[in-house]
Amino acid sequence: MKRLPWRVLVIAILGACLSCAMPPKKPSRPKPPPGSRMPPVTSPSSGTSAQRSASESLIQQGTQAMDQGRYEESTDLFQEAVSVDPSHGAGYYHLALVKFKTGEWEEASNLLEKAETLLAEEAGWTERLEELKRQLHESQPP
Amino acid sequence: MSVKTLLGFFFLGALVMGAYLFTLDYKIRTKFEAHRWNLPSRVYSDAFLLYPGQKINLADVERKLQRLSYKRISALPKSVGEFYRAGADLFVTLHNFSYPSGDFSGFPVKLEFSTDGLRSITRTDKEENLRTLKLEPERIASIFDEKMEDRTLVSLTDIPEELTDAVVSIEDERFYSHHGVDPKALLRAFLTDLLHLKKVQGGSTITQQLVKNYFLTPEKTLVRKFNEMLMAILLETRYSKEEILEAYLNEIYFGQRGPVSVTGIEEGSRFYFSKNAADLTLAESALLAGLIRSPGEYSPFQNITRAYDRRNFVLKSMREKEKITQEGYEAARKEKIVLPQGNARVFQASYFIDFVQSELRENYSADILKSQGLKVFTTLDMEAQDIAEESVERRLKELEEGRPKLKKLSQEGKILQGVLVAMQPQTGAIRAFVGGRDYETSQFNRVTDAHRQPGSAFKPFVYLTALSLEGGGRWTLASPLEDKSFSVPLGRKGGKDWRPQNYDDREHGAVRLREALEQSYNIATAKLALEVGLEKVVDLARQAGIESPMEPYPALALGAFEVTPLELARAYTIFPNQGTRSEPMGITGVVTRDGVVLERKTFKIKKVVSRELAYLINSALRGVLDRGTGSSARALGFTGLAAGKTGTTSDYKDSWFVGYTTDLLALAWVGYDEGTPTGLSGASGALPIWSRFMQKTNPPGASQVDFPATDNIILVKIAPSGKLHKSSCGEPFEEAFLRGTEPTQWCDEEGP
């Protein structure tokens, strides 16, 4: 009997350490009022991982092109990324980014707005979105 | 005659001759240097993206490859543009293609399929796994001038040496040594004519042939022949053998494709072998070279034996002149002639091409389009287009044969018309575009130019406005409406009151907002619109993209104003696109024939309403298909998850169905151009076109995805009255609400 609490303590400490080491959880959804439920937020498109993966590959290629100054090519690739997976916010974000770089600010704003709605529930995007938003705001004529 | 006079005549003669030569020379220079050929502009469909995990089967890809003129062979492909099926694997040697963003060099790939779809894509020359692969766009149309010469320019450097050798060897063996005219050949031709022997080689050099085709008219007079020889000699003094040969190869006639003449080696190569001239084999080069003398006679499409004989004759001639080795000769002789299939269609997607042309004419004159050989890239999906055309034609036929009233009208010469336009909701990319039943009978583009009343297809915008008021606090999908007859004095001189009526001529009493939309009750909708405020409805409709005139009269609520089908489809994009509207987009890029990008378009979107509001409407419009006026789609075989709205005008002049999944939005319409009533509702006329199209374009299992919600949407069980459900109140219904707007009263409680 005396040993049990000791083991439990060790396990508890280990458990606490593990949960600290785990990556930050996605912001938890607000609970629905009692007696109701919530429908899925961003439903996966059919074959989600496949389309998402293809989209990510295109974004990767597009980012490479953009970094090398090949803006037209990157625009094409980002558009293709959106087309193959329109639920992938990153596609809109990158398209907004290249539109910003080429001075098409109104289009960039509209695309960024869409990206924000799709990426709101995904971790790690807030900073980038805010940054581009800020840059766009500064560029717009008063 | 004195010497002086003789000399005088001589000088005069020389002067005249000189002047004459000068004009000929001038003619040659100006035309030749300007490379003045009218090159048709080309319109391309969208490219097709392949990726691992894609729900597509081998048969689908094979079909697509055949559309792109790839040839199926029975061994591993070696030549460009071939494919081979081995069990569940497809081996393909890809075509080269020039995209706006750069040139793609083809390579061999292996596509592995499983029961789930495409499993992997491997580049076999590098053993590299690919995450995406684009199949090149289809060339769907060309924009010609009056001469209708289908020609694509190619430079000599892109033409294989075997091809030039074959042409020289059969048409003009001493091409490289003569000076424009070949006396030996002329003599031989003269003698064979004299002796009526079969003409082995014509007397004309390549240079003379070029002059004849390029500069002169085709009369067979001595004067013309004389001019031809003179000009040939002049040409050779000015231009190199290479320049002349290149012009010749681009000029030469290779046959007919319907009303269009196939001209130049590049189009000839595509026509007979579905390849670029650069990829031709020796045997194929020999066949094309042999065709030049008489394309009709030696065409493999007409007489394959004669084609083989002629080809082999050319090969023999090349062997005799030691242009090819013995092994090469024997291998080429044995090579089988494989003809492309499915290359016959001359006219495709004609209404869409007209639409594209009218957009292009905003920036490019008709002249430029017909002569500069531009490349126009579009969003069209040719398979979806074929299905759309077939769905429209099929339904219209069914209706005319099955309904006595329509049969009678058809016998009287009235043509029942239909439209289908489909777009990707998030980008506005137009995937299918059918502007009428039969382009050859009527080129009137109904998608963009028909002004028709949307009728009840407009109702979702009324309901959207209602749901948007006071942050969603004023009306919800559960709000009670009174479907009870009423009238509105229109205040016009001597005018009657306006009294809306339901299609079934009944009143349904107290209904919930959702039901009124699902069942398309006119009375309840009209009442709602008046309470909401007609100006507000107009305002929202404008934001959604309706640009046609709308007056805030009560009948607006029932769609009694005119729109074009494209306009209505555009407005509907806000629903599947989560409150954001997208602009219909047909053209993605325009490039010159040298690869200079003139235009590049990105899709355009604009937020109109919140995602939550879009979700609520999507939920109600799903109900239209599941329970409401569109439910016959289920019986017709469309089992996927989708939302939509039927549209019927008050006098049954128009039948609409606008519906969408998360991936695709499509609008169908049926009616007579003259406005004759059809007696068809949206469900009986347009809906079957829509459901057939959607069923066939969506891969099975694809449309089971629900429209996405947000954290602000909750689902609550309500009673028929709209209040919170309790088992004592009958059947529950799970309704969607904006958080905070859900009912708080229980169904057994009294009071509002």
Side-chain angles (χ1 to χ4, degrees), chain B residues 259-551:
Chain B
V260 162
S261 46
V262 179
T263 21
I265 193 72
E266 182 65 20
E267 284 304 315
S269 181
R270 288 178 57 112
F271 185 57
Y272 292 101
F273 300 110
S274 298
K275 288 182 167 180
N276 294 333
D279 301 321
L280 292 169
T281 64
L282 168 61
E284 291 165 344
S285 302
L287 190 143
L288 283 176
L291 274 170
I292 294 172
R293 180 56 50 85
S294 178
E297 199 181 329
Y298 299 119
S299 167
F301 293 126
Q302 299 299 339
N303 186 326
I304 195 107
T305 322
R306 259 212 297 263
Y308 270 112
D309 288 342
R310 180 68 178 164
R311 178 194 78 178
N312 293 344
F313 178 76
V314 174
L315 286 169
K316 182 152 163 249
S317 167
M318 288 175 82
R319 176 72 196 116
E320 280 168 359
K321 298 177 174 75
E322 294 189 357
K323 291 289 175 190
I324 51 178
T325 61
Q326 185 63 22
E327 300 87 55
Y329 169 64
E330 282 173 15
R333 269 187 63 101
K334 289 204 202 93
E335 195 175 294
K336 196 158 174 277
I337 296 175
V338 182
L339 292 173
Q341 306 112 343
N343 220 3
R345 295 184 67 177
V346 182
F347 299 116
Q348 296 185 83
S350 309
Y351 292 102
F352 180 71
I353 299 299
D354 277 359
F355 169 67
V356 164
Q357 280 199 69
S358 67
E359 298 230 320
L360 288 170
R361 271 200 288 275
E362 285 174 26
N363 292 324
Y364 313 98
S365 69
D367 247 4
I368 290 180
L369 288 175
K370 290 176 187 174
S371 65
Q372 294 307 305
L374 301 178
K375 286 167 97 162
V376 182
F377 293 89
T378 72
T379 55
L380 204 70
D381 174 342
M382 288 315 293
E383 288 215 358
Q385 177 66 21
D386 281 348
I387 294 168
E389 288 179 5
E390 194 250 353
S391 302
V392 170
E393 174 55 24
R394 189 190 172 105
R395 182 62 187 156
L396 295 177
K397 258 213 183 91
E398 275 173 5
L399 288 168
E400 280 180 335
E401 281 164 19
R403 294 194 171 223
K405 174 177 175 169
L406 300 178
K407 192 170 192 163
K408 185 156 170 285
L409 286 168
S410 136
Q411 284 161 350
E412 287 168 15
K414 285 214 165 31
I415 304 175
L416 187 63
Q417 280 293 350
V419 149
L420 192 139
V421 60
M423 313 188 315
Q424 182 181 36
Q426 297 85 359
T427 60
I430 297 175
R431 297 301 186 204
F433 188 109
V434 180
R437 185 173 185 169
D438 176 24
Y439 184 81
E440 284 181 57
T441 324
S442 159
Q443 292 95 51
F444 176 49
N445 195 339
R446 290 156 194 83
V447 173
T448 49
D449 299 336
H451 292 87
R452 312 292 301 209
Q453 294 194 353
S456 36
F458 180 68
K459 285 176 182 160
F461 298 96
V462 173
Y463 287 80
L464 181 66
T465 318
L467 294 174
S468 73
L469 292 184
E470 293 170 35
R474 176 72 180 84
W475 275 285
T476 69
L477 287 172
S479 300
L481 294 179
E482 284 258 298
D483 190 57
K484 218 159 80 171
S485 188
F486 72 100
S487 64
V488 177
L490 290 173
R492 291 198 209 131
K493 266 190 278 186
K496 291 190 288 209
D497 292 350
W498 181 67
R499 186 183 291 272
Q501 285 188 308
N502 287 331
Y503 291 110
D504 55 4
D505 278 327
R506 286 168 48 203
E507 297 174 27
H508 302 94
V511 295
R512 297 197 307 277
L513 197 124
R514 167 190 281 274
E515 286 172 287
L517 181 54
E518 284 181 7
Q519 302 300 331
S520 205
Y521 294 146
N522 284 340
I523 302 176
T525 306
K527 203 173 249 189
L528 178 65
L530 289 168
E531 282 179 55
V532 163
L534 293 165
E535 286 88 358
K536 293 208 184 77
V537 176
V538 170
D539 203 46
L540 188 73
R542 288 257 178 267
Q543 283 182 60
I546 308 257
E547 290 169 342
S548 292
M550 279 185 286
E551 297 297 324

Side-chain angles (χ1 to χ4, degrees), chain A residues 28-33 35-47 50-58 60-61 72-73 75-76 78-80 82-84 86 92 95 99 104 106-107 110-111 113-114 117-118 120-121, chain B residues 46 49 51-55 100-101 131-132 134 424 426-427 429 431 576-578 580 585 588 597 600-607 611 615 662-663 701-703 705-717 734 739 742:
Chain A
S28 53
R29 298 183 72 186
K31 287 203 174 52
S36 69
R37 67 180 185 94
M38 286 164 66
V41 168
T42 332
S43 301
S45 15
S46 66
Q51 279 165 277
R52 183 56 60 100
S53 180
S55 179
E56 277 168 2
S57 168
L58 291 162
Q60 224 172 60
Q61 293 172 52
E72 277 112 21
E73 198 181 319
T75 308
D76 286 348
F78 295 143
Q79 270 209 107
E80 280 170 32
V82 169
S83 195
V84 75
Y92 296 91
L95 204 48
K99 287 285 167 188
E104 291 162 90
E106 194 184 332
E107 296 200 26
N110 286 327
L111 290 160
E113 198 171 15
K114 182 79 190 211
T117 57
L118 289 170
E121 283 97 17
Chain B
D46 200 12
L49 192 72
Y51 53 90
Q54 192 174 13
K55 290 230 183 321
S101 48
R131 286 175 75 187
T132 58
K134 253 195 326 200
Q424 182 181 36
Q426 297 85 359
T427 60
R431 297 301 186 204
N577 199 14
Q578 300 184 255
T580 301
M585 180 171 72
T588 53
V597 177
R600 198 186 234 97
K601 293 203 182 179
T602 317
F603 62 88
K604 261 176 119 114
I605 54 176
K606 183 138 185 69
K607 180 171 170 172
R611 287 185 295 161
Y615 180 85
T662 50
D663 298 323
S703 12
V705 178
D706 197 2
F707 302 98
T710 72
D711 287 340
N712 284 326
I713 295 285
I714 53 172
L715 302 174
V716 177
K717 287 201 171 74
E734 199 175 46
R739 189 185 285 266
E742 70 269 26

Side-chain angles (χ1 to χ4, degrees), chain A residues 2-63:
Chain A
K2 269 194 199 159
R3 274 200 207 147
L4 218 62
W6 184 84
R7 276 198 194 141
V8 170
L9 195 66
V10 169
I11 290 168
I13 293 172
L14 280 172
C17 291
L18 271 170
S19 62
C20 292
M22 288 212 281
K25 276 200 275 207
K26 281 211 285 216
S28 53
R29 298 183 72 186
K31 287 203 174 52
S36 69
R37 67 180 185 94
M38 286 164 66
V41 168
T42 332
S43 301
S45 15
S46 66
T48 176
S49 45
Q51 279 165 277
R52 183 56 60 100
S53 180
S55 179
E56 277 168 2
S57 168
L58 291 162
I59 290 174
Q60 224 172 60
Q61 293 172 52
T63 310

